[in-house]
Amino acid sequence: MPRRWIACWAALLAIPLGVGSPRAAIPSLIVFSADRAPSVSGEIYRVDPNGHRVDLTHSPYQDTHPAVSSDGKTVAFLSQRGNTVSVYEMGIDGRGLVRIGPSLSPQGQYPYLAWQPHGNLVALTGGGTVSSPRAGLWILRAGHAPLRVRGADGTVQPSWSPDGRVVLAYTYGRHAAVAFSPSGRRLFAVPHASNFSSWSSGGLLATATSTGIGVYDEGGHRRFAASGPVSGGPAWSPDGHLLAAIVANKLEVLTQTGGLVLGKPLAGRHGLVWNGNTRVVLGAYGHCQCEAKSVDLRTGAISAASERWFSPLSADGKKAIETRKAGGQFVIEVAPAAGGVPKTYAHVPGCYDEMVLGPGVDALQFVGRTKSLVYASLCYEPFSNLYAVAPDGGAPRELSGAKPYAGGPALSPDGGRIAYSWSQLTGLSCGGCPSQIRVVNADGTGEQTLTTPPDCTYDVNPAWSPDGTAILYSQSDCNTAPELYAISVAGGSARDLHVPGDDPAWGPSRIAYVARDMSAGVWTANPDGSDPVKVATSGASPAWSTDGRLAYLTGKRGTTVVVGSSQVSLPFAQVTSLAWSPDGTRFVVTARTKSAPAPDGYTVKTDGSDPIRLTMNYDASGASWR
């Protein structure tokens, strides 16, 4: 760094020049942040009553929405393998994986899966996009091509009749419930229907419509109707003899022919399930709307009931699956639905979703009529942390001293310290929480907080000065675009450089950054923000070599590196960050190959050759090398 810039920067921040004095030689190191999403989300598990847990999919891909066949022998699920989503099938032991579904867009309508009772067909709705004709209903079977059902575009939430001869789906656009045969033949439609319906064990369909409740047989013939607005149900009793629903502010219990068994005034909207054939359980009571009441059909008496009735139930309706918080984790339990002592099955991590901490599981269900369970691990926003790895690879180690939700690490010039941004929460769960600039030793000890911005203010992307005495970073808030600030590593107040920019890098004599306003592009400037010069009209992740060469990523997926007047294509499908090796002969990138489910850390020669993979399925970002 030229002497005049050392003097200028020291005067600017009043930093004693001895603060950043060189340390003993430290081995070359690469640090990066990662949330390891493929490991903590998108796996399908079976857990047995003795606590034995089996990862059935054991893949880095996002495997979600498991649905177990009625005989408990097979699991169908959705998997995003590559750039599309499809349906796969496997045995309950995880063996015999086969693809049975069509290619669906990851951005398409929410998909639903439903097994044919006592059969080997799977109904799929969703996929495609809202405006695409590919969104619809498919009938799937292992060993056969997916059957797309005509006239079922835009349908959702399939359900089978108990004998498996009819599959029902809902079309929001036409506000109708449409029934099809397993071969895809249209059978009948119920106009003005909602997606609330129930099949009786004898094959009668009760569905809520705009005028009340309609009851139909499998031929589409209406048996009877109950008029009035529906605010709960309908639901058939286990033996199929009685139908319960809340219609016109009354709990009505009807026979198969429409005869009134019970009519009890009841205001409000309530969930509704059966406890055997003589009691109806209603949910959404109390201030928390989480209490349940039981109605005795013989006397009409209302009493307290267990809220477990609204949890996933066993095939006989006697057992319920629950999750509860236990320390920093959650426990999966199975308990009597009517109340009683639960049995612990497994412990699972907690995950945030829109500021709510909950168990990182989805689609908890019993395996057929057994006591085993199946679920998918699910973390919408897994926390990220810092990791260190040798440049030639090996096992990355987590820096336990850096707190969770750490990102954007930058190694100091001597490699002894790491600057990074930290937030209490991330993504949608952040809710305006600020992100700070922190510094930690390269071994994870000695954490130091440099900035403490107020809510809705984000300090991110730190970059070290060449002498290691100051840190440049970007600050934005909920209402303003990013702007560059600098702060002494010794602490004190940050200084606003009045430079609108993000993703800063600090070279031997100038800084580089990305502007995202009307002057969008890659820029350089003096360390005090003066003399801004536009280098390129577009680009990302600018990085300086120790000898003063500026590199940055360009292209739709960042797969081209620009250094001066030369351009080099990198052998990846997407590149998300770029940094130089200390000797300037290689780059370290976080990148994703075409077949990989998530970005990982790689080093590559500056001509794009000789890629070396550093991590495997870490969902890595922001690598730095010293």
Side-chain angles (χ1 to χ4, degrees):
M1 184 177 191
R3 187 178 300 275
R4 66 178 182 276
W5 285 117
I6 295 177
C8 176
W9 191 249
L12 187 64
L13 292 178
I15 303 169
L17 297 184
V19 171
S21 57
R23 302 183 181 187
I26 296 175
S28 184
L29 190 70
I30 291 172
V31 297
F32 60 94
S33 60
D35 61 16
R36 307 197 70 175
S39 301
V40 298
S41 185
E43 292 289 277
I44 296 175
Y45 292 89
R46 188 193 79 235
V47 58
D48 301 324
N50 62 2
H52 178 60
R53 179 163 41 184
V54 181
D55 186 344
L56 299 178
T57 48
H58 199 66
S59 81
Y61 303 99
Q62 288 299 295
D63 301 321
T64 60
H65 300 77
V68 182
S69 59
S70 59
D71 62 7
K73 295 181 179 179
T74 313
V75 182
F77 62 96
L78 289 160
S79 183
Q80 186 171 340
R81 301 179 182 229
N83 294 319
T84 62
V85 175
S86 192
V87 182
Y88 291 78
E89 183 183 297
M90 64 184 173
I92 196 61
D93 59 359
R95 298 178 181 177
L97 178 69
V98 294
R99 176 175 168 174
I100 63 172
S103 295
L104 305 173
S105 168
Q107 287 77 41
Q109 290 180 350
Y110 190 89
Y112 295 88
L113 298 175
W115 275 95
Q116 181 188 37
H118 317 296
N120 57 5
L121 302 181
V122 177
L124 162 70
T125 58
T129 61
V130 174
S131 60
S132 169
R134 289 192 60 81
L137 169 67
W138 284 266
I139 305 296
L140 312 178
R141 181 182 179 186
H144 293 72
L147 171 65
R148 181 177 176 220
V149 178
R150 294 187 178 183
D153 291 348
T155 53
V156 297
Q157 291 182 293
S159 64
W160 291 88
S161 60
D163 58 12
R165 296 170 59 183
V166 179
V167 60
L168 191 76
Y170 297 89
T171 57
Y172 281 134
R174 295 192 292 272
H175 301 288
V178 187
F180 300 91
S181 72
S183 64
R185 180 170 58 89
R186 182 184 171 106
L187 299 176
F188 64 91
V190 179
H192 311 296
S194 73
N195 60 335
F196 296 101
S197 68
S198 175
W199 286 98
S200 77
S201 57
L204 292 180
L205 170 68
T207 185
T209 69
S210 60
T211 58
I213 299 289
V215 177
Y216 301 81
D217 61 24
E218 290 186 2
H221 305 105
R222 193 171 78 170
R223 292 291 186 88
F224 68 88
S227 299
V230 180
S231 56
W236 289 98
S237 60
D239 62 10
H241 293 164
L242 299 176
L243 176 68
I246 301 174
V247 182
N249 292 326
K250 287 195 303 182
L251 170 62
E252 293 192 351
V253 179
L254 309 170
T255 66
Q256 292 178 329
T257 57
L260 184 65
V261 174
L262 177 70
K264 191 173 186 66
L266 194 68
R269 302 187 65 87
H270 300 280
L272 187 155
V273 296
W274 284 81
N275 174 5
N277 297 304
T278 61
R279 288 181 178 272
V280 174
V281 182
L282 304 172
Y285 275 92
H287 293 296
C288 65
Q289 295 188 329
C290 60
E291 299 175 7
K293 301 289 184 180
S294 177
V295 181
D296 190 324
L297 303 189
R298 294 162 295 190
T299 65
I302 297 179
S303 58
S306 169
E307 62 271 18
R308 292 173 182 167
W309 289 110
F310 296 93
S311 300
L313 298 177
S314 57
D316 61 8
K318 295 181 179 180
K319 299 288 186 180
I321 307 173
E322 291 187 304
T323 58
R324 64 175 176 84
K325 195 173 186 302
Q329 292 187 313
F330 282 78
V331 177
I332 298 175
E333 299 175 327
V334 172
V341 179
K343 176 181 176 59
T344 297
Y345 271 51
H347 290 76
V348 294
C351 291
Y352 280 96
D353 181 16
E354 296 188 10
M355 298 189 73
V356 177
L357 179 66
V361 299
D362 183 48
L364 265 168
Q365 60 197 279
F366 282 91
V367 176
R369 294 188 172 275
T370 73
K371 295 181 180 180
S372 295
L373 311 177
V374 157
Y375 68 90
S377 60
L378 179 65
C379 278
Y380 288 110
E381 300 167 13
F383 72 81
S384 59
N385 212 340
L386 303 186
Y387 295 81
V389 65
D392 57 354
R397 60 181 174 87
E398 186 175 1
L399 301 180
S400 57
K403 302 297 190 297
Y405 303 107
L411 275 160
S412 61
D414 65 3
R417 306 189 77 190
I418 304 166
Y420 63 98
S421 61
W422 177 91
S423 179
Q424 184 179 5
L425 297 173
T426 188
L428 294 175
S429 291
C430 180
C433 57
S435 54
Q436 306 171 343
I437 299 299
R438 295 189 175 189
V439 176
V440 69
N441 292 331
D443 62 2
T445 64
E447 187 180 52
Q448 172 191 0
T449 300
L450 291 185
T451 70
T452 54
D455 283 353
C456 216
T457 303
Y458 313 105
D459 294 347
V460 296
N461 299 328
W464 291 83
S465 64
D467 64 358
T469 62
I471 289 175
L472 178 70
Y473 63 95
S474 170
Q475 182 181 96
S476 61
D477 61 35
C478 293
N479 301 306
T480 61
E483 192 161 290
L484 299 187
Y485 284 73
I487 190 169
S488 167
V489 178
S493 299
R495 183 177 183 84
D496 187 351
L497 302 188
H498 301 289
V499 173
D502 192 12
D503 211 5
W506 203 330
S509 61
R510 290 177 70 82
I511 62 173
Y513 56 94
V514 177
R516 306 189 188 280
D517 56 7
M518 295 297 290
S519 57
V522 178
W523 292 70
T524 68
N526 290 328
D528 62 359
S530 63
D531 188 30
V533 175
K534 192 170 189 176
V535 175
T537 57
S538 64
S541 194
W544 293 98
S545 65
T546 55
D547 60 5
R549 288 174 290 165
L550 177 64
Y552 58 90
L553 299 174
T554 189
K556 185 177 181 180
R557 297 186 178 274
T559 55
T560 299
V561 176
V562 177
V563 182
S565 61
S566 65
Q567 293 189 6
V568 173
S569 295
L570 299 179
F572 305 106
Q574 182 182 26
V575 182
T576 56
S577 73
L578 174 76
W580 289 84
S581 65
D583 63 5
T585 63
R586 297 182 73 87
F587 295 121
V588 61
V589 298
T590 52
R592 183 180 62 82
T593 60
K594 186 176 182 179
S595 59
D600 274 297
Y602 295 82
T603 71
V604 61
K605 287 184 177 179
T606 54
D607 63 1
S609 66
D610 189 31
I612 297 175
R613 189 169 191 170
L614 302 174
T615 65
M616 183 69 71
N617 304 321
Y618 266 63
D619 199 13
S621 61
S624 176
W625 191 350
R626 286 291 184 271

